[in-house]
DNA sequence: TCCCTGACTGGTT
DNA sequence: AAACCAGCCAGGG
């Protein structure tokens, strides 16, 4: 381990905690997860964290995270994308012929947990 | 320890 | 609509 490696991986638990909050039948984007985890601008790291998941051990609904265009992101390892799509379809999410889902319909919109519930602009 | 590669994104061209 | 580009940062060679 290099000098201070312990610090960096604090992020993974934060990221997993957010992903676990995504309800069934809803999706979140990588950037959205990063922001909710307090890591704005670190969308790429969210992908990296999910890549590091061990499905045999972790109970993180990774399939509910898609890219900002409403598509399932391409993996280095083939064969996973169709599985992710099937899992989402099983939750009631619809994909168009081009393999995209409508974020305006299925994107998770968590309530803000603050005193002032909402002050719309 | 340097260098490169990613389950990404928003702004430009 | 598509290609490019600069940030982002953890791992592995």
């Amino acid at each position: 381990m290099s000098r201070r490696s312990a610090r960096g991986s604090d992020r993974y638990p934060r990221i997993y905690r957010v992903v676990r909050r995504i309800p069934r039948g809803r999706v979140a984007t990588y950037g959205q997860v990063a922001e909710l985890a307090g890591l704005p601008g670190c969308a790429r790291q969210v992908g990296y964290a999910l890549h590091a998941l061990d499905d045999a051990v972790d109970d993180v609904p990774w399939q509910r995270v898609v890219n900002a265009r409403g598509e399932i992101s391409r993996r280095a390892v083939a064969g996973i994308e169709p599985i992710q799509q099937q899992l989402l379809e099983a939750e009631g999410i619809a994909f168009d012929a081009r393999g995209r889902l409508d974020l305006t319909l299925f994107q998770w919109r968590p309530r803000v947990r603050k005193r002032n519930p909402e002050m719309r602009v």
Side-chain angles (χ1 to χ4, degrees):
Chain A
M1 0 222 109
S2 35
R3 299 191 267 161
R4 53 206 145 114
S5 56
R7 184 75 75 88
S9 42
D10 286 8
R11 299 171 167 235
Y12 287 18
R14 295 166 72 86
I15 290 170
Y16 298 150
R17 194 139 42 237
V18 172
V19 176
R20 268 191 277 255
R21 288 177 54 205
I22 306 172
R24 210 184 136 74
R26 296 265 148 194
V27 298
T29 66
Y30 293 92
Q32 181 185 4
V33 171
E35 193 158 328
L36 290 170
L39 307 167
C42 299
R44 204 166 182 178
Q45 277 55 58
V46 171
Y48 203 86
L50 296 183
H51 179 67
L53 275 177
D54 180 350
D55 297 328
V57 176
D58 304 298
D59 62 325
V60 178
W62 55 270
Q63 74 272 20
R64 297 178 192 148
V65 183
V66 299
N67 68 33
R69 293 179 302 185
E71 303 171 320
I72 289 171
S73 292
R74 305 294 293 272
R75 311 291 202 279
V77 178
I80 300 171
E81 300 94 325
I83 294 174
Q84 182 172 5
Q85 181 168 339
Q86 285 167 31
L87 287 171
L88 291 178
E89 288 177 330
E91 298 187 1
I93 292 176
F95 286 81
D96 64 21
R98 212 172 137 260
R100 271 172 49 164
L101 58 84
D102 188 344
L103 284 176
T104 67
L105 249 58
F106 302 110
Q107 181 167 25
W108 175 46
R109 294 189 187 71
R111 299 188 183 181
V112 185
R113 305 139 141 277
K114 295 262 178 171
R115 292 276 192 72
N116 281 341
E118 85 287 338
M119 293 194 340
R120 290 320 181 83
V121 240

